[in-house]
Amino acid sequence: MEMDTGSGGKLGFLIRAREDFEELFEATQPNIAVGSEVWVEDPDVAWIDGEVLDVKRDEITISCSSGKTVTAKTFKVHPKDPEAAPGGVDDMTKLAYLHEPGVLQNLRSRYDMNEIYTYTGNILIAVNPFRRLPHLYDSHMMEQYKGAVFGELSPHPFAVADAAYRQMINEGVSQSILVSGESGAGKTESTKMLMRYLAYMGGRVASEGRTVEQQVLQVKYLPVTGYNVRIECAILCLKFLFKICCSFFCFFHITFSVSNPVLEAFGNAKTDIGRFKLGSPRTFHYLNQSKCYELDGVDDAKEYLETKNAMDIIGITADEQDAIFRVVAAILHLGNVEFADGKEIDSSQPKDEKSWFHLRTAAELLMCDVNALEDSLCTRVIVTRDENIVKTLDLAAAVLSRDALAKIIYSRLFDWLVNKINNSIGQDPDSKNLIGVLDIYGFESFKTNSFEQFCINLTNEKLQQHFNQHVFKMEQEEYTKEEIDWSYIEFVDNQDILDLIEKKPGGIIALLDEACMLPRSTHETFAQKLYQSFKNNKRFSKPKLSRSDFIISHYAGDVTYQTEFFLDKNKDYVVAEHQALLTASKCSFVSSLFPPLSEDASKSSKFSSIGSRFKQQLQALLETLSATEPHYIRCVKPNNLLKPAIFENHNVLQQLRCGGVMEAIRISCAGYPTRRTFDEFIDRFGILAPEVFDGSCDEVDVSKKLLGKVNLKGYQIGKTKVFLRAGQMAELDTLRNEVLGRSANLIQRKVRSYLSRRSFILLKKSAIMIQTICRGQHARQIYEIKRKEAAALRIQTYFRVHFARKTYKELLYSSITIQAGLRGMTARKELHFRQQTKAATIIQSRCRQYLACLHYSRMKKAAIATQCSWRGKVARRELRKLKMAARETGALQAAKNKLEKQVEELTWRLQLEKRIRADMEEAKTQENAKLQAALQEMQQKFDETKALLVKEREAAKQAAEQVPVVKEIPVIDTVLMDKLRDENEKLKALVSSLEMKIDESEKKYEETSRISEERLKKAAEAESKIVNLNNAIERLQEKLSNLESEDQILRQQAMLHSPIKRMSEHLSIPVTPTNQNLENGHHDFQEPKEARSAPPAVNDYANGGTKLNRASIERQQVIFQKYRISYDEIVNDLCPSFGSEK
């Protein structure tokens, strides 16, 4: 995979793969104990080993081998196998811990020992040594691998080729070998080794003095035959990718090698330099963009001679070789043609004399007219029916035209070479099986990613899906062979990415083809369509600071694509001027590359999509691969300096992830990544439960008992192996380390006890001998010692007295000083505490005083507010009682008068509505008549116009039949057709406007009819309401008369039984309701006033000064209440009608 190391480094590339591994190992992470060896992430070397110092929940402290101490999360570290071989293992499925750091360390250990090949199952990983290792590829090595069982010898491409060959011969199944890796990883060399071994096995049949083996070894991509078995090394490297990338890989040998002093010693090299007018590759635009002109260890002169020798071997004649080099040199000169602004607007011409020189040289090498070549680059001819229009091209269009010409010439030359090689070697038509070798470029992500990277990454997505399916199939076969349960293993598929790109319809390629077919489509409109179509797709996203870029989340990471040239690069066509120019070339080789087009092909203008054709070729490749048994070789570039003995961990990890090796490991870890034969498992973990060996010799039973003793779950027992889940090997190793630790402590204790006892006995014997010798001397010295002791005793007595006194005084002074300081400090603390306590007491008292006052004032205000509210409520209740008692029949009389007025007003409105309705009906009838007349007139005009148009079309058709057929492109526009089209458009616009007017008139008619019906309904409802209102008024008058008579009777009775007093002293006279606020039957009353129209009996009673007793007042209130209820019912019935009329 090619990565852009600039612009922020890797930019978080491949984070998704790392997260998948973290989630997987987090779920299966064993308990890590202190003292165990682990791998931890390191920013410098990717992974570094170390020893666990401390474990705290989910964090551990590790002492790394580099000397530094780090802290990491438990799920971010992986256990290390302390018993791993220093030189690694040849098959990484044998690793005790199959994880990322283990794989990386194994590859590094083998690379340091020049072991560049390693297996992962049946996948071969090849690390480029950047040095010659001839002992690995000689005939003796091929003889060793011939017929050897796969995995019996060291990993090697010969083993993969031999396995494929043996399976094809023995099983009759076609095989395929897929070699992948980024530039510089050694794909080409690995492919050569495969082809060399296959040719060695089946390519020794001679043909025209040349063996097939020689032909295969000279050419990278060609088919060979032998032993009636077709071995197709049709390296389906998708030649189309070379077209769109313009990989002029042959140019370097021609330009650089012919000027090399070594090459000049051969033949007519100087003559070729003068004839092709070539020089250093630094002077050619198509060669100097990579800034790479020399490679260490590569002799360009020798490579050039080998290329010519290979052409001779495969049967390319000297004249054809000369023509090939002539065409390639012409393409190089075309690339150096630059353009400047021409004399006319939006025109261009060769920039200077240097550009003219390269233009004339290219025309001379292609043997065509230089003026015709200039015109084909700077102009375009638009063919019309009457004439040919010459259109000039601006600077950008001229550069694109130049590159398009160079690309189509090189594409045709490439196709010719492939056909020549295939025809030269030939194929066996009776062969039924094949071995296909696929050398494909790796995943690409640069700073600028265009259509080429899009196609290459699509290819890698397809191959990655095929690779995942193959790895999953291998896992299934292993589990089936061992007869274990594997049904729960999940297979991660990238089909969603493939659907996003190539789904039809709706995929990116389909939308690109659709955009290419639209005449005014640009890359921005194409990008906007992508944003709208895939805004909810999790694999597709839009960059924040771009309007035309898009991001796809591939299996290897996110890639940002720029759509500026997507549309141009997706169009596959040959410019007519270029075709005519090269067809007319005087060079037979060039003209054969561009044969004249047939008449049908020249007239056809159907769009041809490169993306769709590429997808079809890719699908054909996948179908071919699916019909074969695949074998994989993943090439890895250990460093970007291309130097030996340098192993960059980050670089290798990127390639392993992009090459799918980590994905294969992830699939393996999803099942049972650790597999041990029964004897290996018992030999390693038998110490965990020695008692299981008692009375049993069956390895299967011993393994089951051993796993049962350690309480391990989720494992599987196969026929020959023990299968452990991810993380279980680490758990067993942890238990094993604990047992070994306890055993080591016991052994150390016993050994130390023995050594101590032996040392003690030797010391005891030596001490006895020394004591015997020393006791004599000791006895002799006793007297002298006692004498000296007597003298010393007196001296010591006085000295001790003096020393004790001195020491006592020092201690006394020191204790007094310390006590004084402590007591002072205690007193100061006590004083400070008492000050704080006093201040706190004052603050608390003030605060409590304030809170008590505040509570008292709030309670006082609340009590006053409550009393006021209650007194107001009681007063309002008494007021309502007085008002209810004071109401009388005067209010009803006023309501009656008002209702009569409203009935008159409603009657007047009803009559007015009927008159308006009649006027509108009449106006509507007149308007409909006018519209019908206008419609008939327009219909008549439309029919006449239509008939005229039919006649004109028939006349035009007859005229076209009479005109002779012209072989040129038919005319697009004429004056007559323009006029007819304009008149037709005007008639269509007129008809559409008339139809719109008719529709509007019909809508107005329907609206008027609806309004009339609604008003008619309202009038009918108003009439019914008026009838109801008259009935209500009559009932109201009857009730009023009854109430007046009852009231009169009550007054007479009161006058007979009670002393007379003024009514105003007992009752307040009710006020007539106002005309306002009559909604919903509620009435607002003003302050009590004298009734305007009180009955005579009431006035006489009031002037009489009589006083009602309590019983008569209560009786009158009951009657008044009945009157009020009846009045409210009437008003409630009538007021909604009034509201609806309003």
Side-chain angles (χ1 to χ4, degrees):
M1 170 182 173
E2 286 290 335
M3 294 292 297
D4 178 20
T5 56
S7 183
K10 305 299 184 293
L11 301 175
F13 203 78
L14 307 171
I15 292 177
R16 183 162 54 85
R18 182 183 294 274
E19 291 176 351
D20 291 341
F21 276 104
E22 290 180 356
E23 291 176 1
L24 176 63
F25 288 110
E26 182 179 359
T28 59
Q29 187 70 24
N31 294 327
I32 297 177
V34 176
S36 59
E37 297 183 7
V38 296
W39 291 100
V40 64
E41 285 185 297
D42 185 80
D44 299 327
V45 295
W47 293 95
I48 191 171
D49 59 331
E51 182 179 353
V52 178
L53 300 178
D54 188 20
V55 179
K56 294 181 179 179
R57 293 184 181 179
D58 59 341
E59 290 187 356
I60 59 176
T61 304
I62 304 167
S63 176
C64 300
S65 57
S66 60
K68 61 182 179 181
T69 303
V70 298
T71 302
K73 296 291 184 181
T74 305
F75 63 87
K76 290 189 176 181
V77 299
H78 301 296
K80 179 184 177 182
D81 186 11
E83 298 182 3
V89 294
D90 57 357
D91 190 348
M92 287 191 287
T93 57
K94 298 178 182 178
L95 292 174
Y97 303 110
L98 190 59
H99 46 53
E100 190 174 280
V103 171
L104 185 64
Q105 178 63 23
N106 188 70
L107 290 177
R108 185 184 185 95
S109 300
R110 292 180 61 81
Y111 182 76
D112 293 339
M113 299 173 61
N114 282 332
E115 296 289 341
I116 61 175
Y117 297 114
T118 308
Y119 288 135
T120 301
N122 63 352
I123 303 170
L124 179 66
I125 300 176
V127 184
N128 195 341
F130 295 115
R131 67 176 68 177
R132 297 290 181 182
L133 301 174
H135 65 283
L136 292 179
Y137 311 108
D138 54 12
S139 300
H140 175 70
M141 187 67 68
M142 286 192 290
E143 189 65 29
Q144 283 186 336
Y145 280 93
K146 182 178 180 181
V149 180
F150 186 81
E152 183 180 6
L153 300 177
S154 299
H156 201 283
F158 292 164
V160 177
D162 185 77
Y165 182 79
R166 296 299 170 188
Q167 288 184 15
M168 182 186 67
I169 296 296
N170 298 331
E171 301 177 8
V173 179
S174 297
Q175 307 291 313
S176 61
I177 304 176
L178 287 80
V179 184
S180 65
E182 67 175 61
S183 178
K187 300 188 302 299
T188 303
E189 292 300 322
S190 298
T191 304
K192 287 181 179 179
M193 295 303 106
L194 292 171
M195 295 164 61
R196 180 181 178 186
Y197 186 85
L198 293 174
Y200 172 79
M201 295 296 297
R204 296 186 179 276
V205 178
S207 174
E208 298 180 1
R210 303 183 302 272
T211 64
V212 178
E213 180 181 4
Q214 290 176 335
Q215 298 175 7
V216 171
L217 295 179
Q218 292 299 326
V219 185
K220 288 193 294 182
Y221 307 123
L222 40 134
V224 296
T225 59
Y227 293 143
N228 200 28
V229 178
R230 179 184 173 202
I231 303 175
E232 183 184 349
C233 297
I235 318 288
L236 296 172
C237 57
L238 301 175
K239 64 177 182 179
F240 171 69
L241 292 180
F242 290 95
K243 293 182 184 179
I244 60 177
C245 296
C246 293
S247 302
F248 301 104
F249 59 86
C250 295
F251 302 162
F252 183 84
H253 295 314
I254 298 173
T255 57
F256 187 80
S257 301
V258 295
S259 60
N260 191 290
V262 179
L263 184 60
E264 289 180 1
F266 297 92
N268 297 323
K270 294 184 178 180
T271 305
D272 292 340
I273 293 175
R275 188 156 52 93
F276 295 149
K277 300 179 181 179
L278 297 174
S280 172
R282 293 177 174 82
T283 60
F284 290 96
H285 173 69
Y286 285 153
L287 300 178
N288 59 15
Q289 298 180 51
S290 65
K291 309 298 181 183
C292 180
Y293 309 107
E294 297 178 1
L295 288 177
D296 296 337
V298 177
D299 188 349
D300 297 311
K302 184 177 178 181
E303 292 284 336
Y304 180 72
L305 291 178
E306 289 180 354
T307 301
K308 297 195 70 175
N309 185 35
M311 289 183 178
D312 293 333
I313 291 176
I314 64 174
I316 299 177
T317 63
D319 294 338
E320 289 175 340
Q321 293 181 29
D322 183 75
I324 291 171
F325 294 140
R326 175 189 294 274
V327 171
V328 173
I331 295 174
L332 289 177
H333 286 290
L334 275 178
N336 282 9
V337 177
E338 298 179 356
F339 299 94
D341 292 330
K343 298 179 180 179
E344 300 179 1
I345 300 175
D346 291 337
S347 64
S348 58
Q349 62 183 7
K351 183 177 181 181
D352 48 22
E353 185 59 32
K354 181 180 177 181
S355 298
W356 276 106
F357 167 75
H358 288 291
L359 183 66
R360 286 191 292 269
T361 304
E364 179 183 349
L365 294 174
L366 294 175
M367 295 186 182
C368 61
D369 183 53
V370 63
N371 295 325
L373 178 59
E374 179 192 1
D375 293 339
S376 67
L377 296 178
C378 299
T379 61
R380 287 289 178 272
V381 177
I382 301 175
V383 181
T384 63
R385 184 172 183 179
D386 298 333
E387 60 180 350
N388 294 340
I389 301 174
V390 179
K391 177 186 176 183
T392 59
L393 301 180
D394 57 8
L395 290 179
V399 172
L400 291 176
S401 178
R402 177 201 68 188
D403 293 339
L405 177 59
K407 185 167 67 173
I408 191 61
I409 295 174
Y410 184 75
S411 173
R412 297 291 179 88
L413 177 60
F414 188 90
D415 293 340
W416 185 89
L417 284 172
V418 172
N419 294 330
K420 184 68 175 179
I421 292 169
N422 291 334
N423 295 331
S424 174
I425 295 176
Q427 298 177 356
D428 187 358
D430 298 328
S431 62
K432 298 180 180 179
N433 301 318
L434 61 88
I435 296 179
V437 181
L438 176 62
D439 181 359
I440 186 64
Y441 205 73
F443 193 85
E444 288 190 352
S445 178
F446 305 106
K447 183 183 294 185
T448 301
N449 300 286
S450 189
F451 186 65
E452 300 89 343
Q453 285 70 40
F454 179 78
C455 293
I456 291 175
N457 293 342
L458 171 60
T459 305
N460 282 274
E461 286 286 355
K462 281 280 192 180
L463 294 177
Q464 181 65 26
Q465 185 186 48
H466 184 267
F467 176 74
N468 291 346
Q469 293 173 351
H470 172 67
V471 172
F472 188 67
K473 181 180 177 182
M474 287 193 304
E475 292 291 317
Q476 289 180 349
E477 291 176 353
E478 177 72 15
Y479 298 151
T480 303
K481 184 176 69 175
E482 292 290 333
E483 296 181 358
I484 66 172
D485 182 21
W486 53 270
S487 58
Y488 62 90
I489 300 175
E490 297 181 357
F491 169 60
V492 178
D493 194 7
N494 59 344
Q495 185 61 42
D496 53 346
I497 304 178
L498 299 178
D499 292 340
L500 170 67
I501 297 175
E502 62 179 4
K503 187 176 181 181
K504 192 171 183 180
I508 295 178
I509 293 179
L511 295 178
L512 178 61
D513 293 345
E514 181 181 344
C516 290
M517 288 187 288
L518 297 177
R520 296 185 179 180
S521 181
T522 63
H523 69 279
E524 293 183 351
T525 58
F526 168 63
Q528 294 301 323
K529 195 164 187 178
L530 291 180
Y531 300 153
Q532 295 175 3
S533 301
F534 306 115
K535 58 183 178 181
N536 297 324
N537 195 310
K538 64 180 181 180
R539 297 288 191 179
F540 184 91
S541 59
K542 176 183 179 299
K544 294 182 178 179
L545 302 178
S546 177
R547 298 178 57 186
S548 61
D549 298 353
F550 64 92
I551 300 175
I552 296 180
S553 298
H554 290 282
Y555 76 93
D558 296 344
V559 180
T560 302
Y561 295 100
Q562 287 73 33
T563 61
E564 281 77 2
F565 302 104
F566 263 56
L567 273 65
D568 294 334
K569 293 179 179 180
N570 189 46
K571 298 176 181 178
D572 186 19
Y573 60 89
V574 180
V575 179
E577 289 78 1
H578 297 167
Q579 176 72 30
L581 174 70
L582 298 174
T583 303
S585 173
K586 297 179 181 179
C587 178
S588 59
F589 181 81
V590 175
S591 60
S592 65
L593 295 178
F594 293 87
L597 298 177
S598 62
E599 184 177 353
D600 296 336
S602 61
K603 291 183 178 180
S604 175
S605 60
K606 184 178 179 181
F607 168 71
S608 177
S609 168
I610 287 181
S612 298
R613 186 142 49 87
F614 174 77
K615 186 175 69 173
Q616 294 173 0
Q617 295 178 0
L618 184 58
Q619 186 62 33
L621 169 65
L622 265 296
E623 291 176 357
T624 303
L625 292 178
S626 300
T628 62
E629 181 67 24
H631 304 267
Y632 293 92
I633 298 179
R634 298 302 193 210
C635 299
V636 177
K637 181 172 65 175
N639 61 80
N640 291 322
L641 301 176
L642 308 182
K643 293 183 179 180
I646 299 177
F647 192 90
E648 298 176 354
N649 291 351
H650 287 289
N651 188 29
V652 174
L653 277 179
Q654 280 183 6
Q655 296 174 65
L656 292 177
R657 292 168 184 156
C658 295
V661 177
M662 291 303 176
E663 184 67 15
I665 294 173
R666 195 205 66 77
I667 294 175
S668 179
C669 289
Y672 300 95
T674 304
R675 304 155 192 181
R676 288 289 182 271
T677 59
F678 291 124
D679 55 347
E680 291 178 355
F681 181 77
I682 293 172
D683 182 64
R684 184 179 179 93
F685 299 110
I687 61 174
L688 297 180
E691 62 274 11
V692 300
F693 295 97
D694 296 339
S696 177
C697 299
D698 188 1
E699 294 179 341
V700 179
D701 294 338
V702 172
S703 300
K704 290 181 179 179
K705 292 179 181 179
L706 182 60
L707 290 170
K709 286 289 185 180
V710 297
N711 295 325
L712 202 65
K713 298 180 181 180
Y715 62 88
Q716 291 278 356
I717 300 295
K719 296 175 66 177
T720 61
K721 298 178 183 178
V722 176
F723 291 80
L724 301 177
R725 298 298 303 275
Q728 291 183 343
M729 188 71 177
E731 295 181 13
L732 293 176
D733 277 339
T734 302
L735 296 175
R736 181 172 177 270
N737 291 334
E738 292 177 358
V739 173
L740 291 176
R742 291 194 297 268
S743 301
N745 291 335
L746 180 61
I747 294 171
Q748 289 174 357
R749 185 167 67 249
K750 296 296 183 180
V751 171
R752 287 170 182 169
S753 175
Y754 168 75
L755 294 176
S756 299
R757 180 175 178 79
R758 188 178 66 177
S759 177
F760 171 75
I761 292 173
L762 292 175
L763 289 174
K764 183 179 178 181
K765 291 180 179 180
S766 301
I768 292 172
M769 294 180 64
I770 294 171
Q771 287 175 359
T772 303
I773 297 172
C774 292
R775 279 171 184 166
Q777 181 67 23
H778 179 68
R780 289 188 291 271
Q781 293 177 354
I782 287 177
Y783 175 74
E784 185 68 22
I785 291 173
K786 288 184 177 181
R787 190 177 65 80
K788 290 181 180 180
E789 284 181 354
L793 182 62
R794 185 175 294 273
I795 297 171
Q796 289 177 357
T797 302
Y798 288 105
F799 178 77
R800 287 172 180 168
V801 170
H802 172 73
F803 184 75
R805 184 181 293 109
K806 182 178 178 182
T807 303
Y808 171 75
K809 288 183 180 179
E810 291 179 354
L811 289 173
L812 179 64
Y813 296 150
S814 300
S815 62
I816 292 173
T817 303
I818 293 171
Q819 288 175 357
L822 291 174
R823 287 169 181 168
M825 183 175 66
T826 304
R828 286 191 295 273
K829 287 184 178 180
E830 182 68 23
L831 176 62
H832 183 64
F833 174 74
R834 290 182 179 180
Q835 289 177 350
Q836 287 182 342
T837 304
K838 183 177 180 181
T841 304
I842 295 173
I843 292 172
Q844 290 176 354
S845 61
R846 297 296 185 188
C847 181
R848 289 168 180 166
Q849 179 182 358
Y850 170 74
L851 293 176
C853 293
L854 181 63
H855 179 69
Y856 171 75
S857 61
R858 288 179 178 175
M859 292 296 293
K860 182 177 179 181
K861 290 180 181 179
I864 293 173
T866 305
Q867 291 174 358
C868 293
S869 175
W870 176 253
R871 289 169 182 168
K873 182 177 181 181
V874 172
R876 284 190 295 273
R877 186 184 301 167
E878 292 296 329
L879 179 61
R880 283 196 299 270
K881 289 180 180 180
L882 293 175
K883 286 183 179 181
M884 290 171 62
R887 292 193 184 100
E888 61 181 11
T889 58
L892 292 175
Q893 186 66 31
K896 173 186 175 184
N897 296 333
K898 183 175 181 181
L899 288 174
E900 290 176 352
K901 292 180 181 179
Q902 289 180 354
V903 170
E904 293 176 358
E905 183 179 356
L906 287 174
T907 305
W908 178 81
R909 287 183 180 178
L910 180 59
Q911 294 175 356
L912 180 61
E913 184 69 26
K914 288 181 179 180
R915 288 197 299 271
I916 293 173
R917 179 185 174 189
D919 295 340
M920 290 182 67
E921 289 289 339
E922 183 179 357
K924 180 180 67 175
T925 304
Q926 295 176 0
E927 183 67 21
N928 288 340
K930 292 180 180 179
L931 291 175
Q932 290 292 340
L935 179 61
Q936 292 177 358
E937 184 180 355
M938 292 299 175
Q939 186 66 32
Q940 184 179 1
K941 290 182 179 180
F942 176 73
D943 294 338
E944 294 175 357
T945 305
K946 187 174 181 181
L948 181 60
L949 183 61
V950 170
K951 292 180 181 180
E952 290 178 352
R953 286 181 178 175
E954 293 178 353
K957 185 175 181 182
Q958 294 176 359
E961 292 176 354
Q962 295 175 1
V963 176
V965 178
V966 181
K967 294 185 179 180
E968 298 179 352
I969 297 176
V971 178
I972 298 176
D973 293 326
T974 62
V975 177
L976 180 58
M977 292 300 292
D978 292 338
K979 290 181 180 180
L980 291 176
R981 189 179 294 106
D982 294 339
E983 291 178 0
N984 191 12
E985 294 295 333
K986 290 179 181 180
L987 291 175
K988 287 181 180 179
L990 182 59
V991 171
S992 61
S993 63
L994 290 175
E995 290 177 352
M996 291 174 61
K997 289 182 179 180
I998 292 171
D999 293 339
E1000 291 177 358
S1001 301
E1002 290 178 353
K1003 290 180 181 179
K1004 289 181 180 179
Y1005 176 74
E1006 292 175 357
E1007 184 69 20
T1008 306
S1009 300
R1010 185 179 58 79
I1011 294 173
S1012 300
E1013 290 176 358
E1014 291 179 356
R1015 289 181 177 176
L1016 185 60
K1017 290 180 182 179
K1018 290 181 179 180
E1021 292 175 358
E1023 289 178 358
S1024 63
K1025 290 178 182 178
I1026 290 171
V1027 173
N1028 295 333
L1029 185 60
N1030 291 329
N1031 295 333
I1033 291 173
E1034 291 177 357
R1035 291 195 301 271
L1036 183 60
Q1037 288 178 352
E1038 292 177 358
K1039 288 183 180 181
L1040 283 174
S1041 61
N1042 293 334
L1043 289 174
E1044 287 178 357
S1045 61
E1046 289 177 3
D1047 191 20
Q1048 188 173 3
I1049 293 170
L1050 290 173
R1051 289 179 182 173
Q1052 292 175 0
Q1053 291 177 357
M1055 290 175 63
L1056 294 175
H1057 298 89
S1058 301
I1060 299 173
K1061 195 173 184 180
R1062 290 185 62 86
M1063 175 72 79
S1064 60
E1065 296 180 5
H1066 296 277
L1067 299 173
S1068 60
I1069 301 173
V1071 178
T1072 304
T1074 62
N1075 293 331
Q1076 300 176 354
N1077 300 326
L1078 296 178
E1079 290 188 31
N1080 301 325
H1082 297 286
H1083 304 274
D1084 293 337
F1085 295 92
Q1086 298 178 356
E1087 292 297 328
K1089 294 182 181 179
E1090 184 178 357
R1092 295 181 182 179
S1093 58
V1098 176
N1099 292 331
D1100 295 339
Y1101 174 72
N1103 294 329
T1106 62
K1107 183 182 292 184
L1108 299 174
N1109 57 10
R1110 187 173 185 83
S1112 61
I1113 292 174
E1114 290 178 356
R1115 192 180 300 110
Q1116 188 174 6
Q1117 288 179 353
V1118 171
I1119 295 170
F1120 181 75
Q1121 188 69 22
K1122 292 181 180 179
Y1123 155 76
R1124 179 175 177 81
I1125 291 172
S1126 301
Y1127 176 77
D1128 290 341
E1129 291 177 354
I1130 295 170
V1131 172
N1132 288 334
D1133 291 339
L1134 296 177
C1135 284
S1137 301
F1138 297 155
S1140 62
E1141 288 299 326
K1142 290 181 181 180

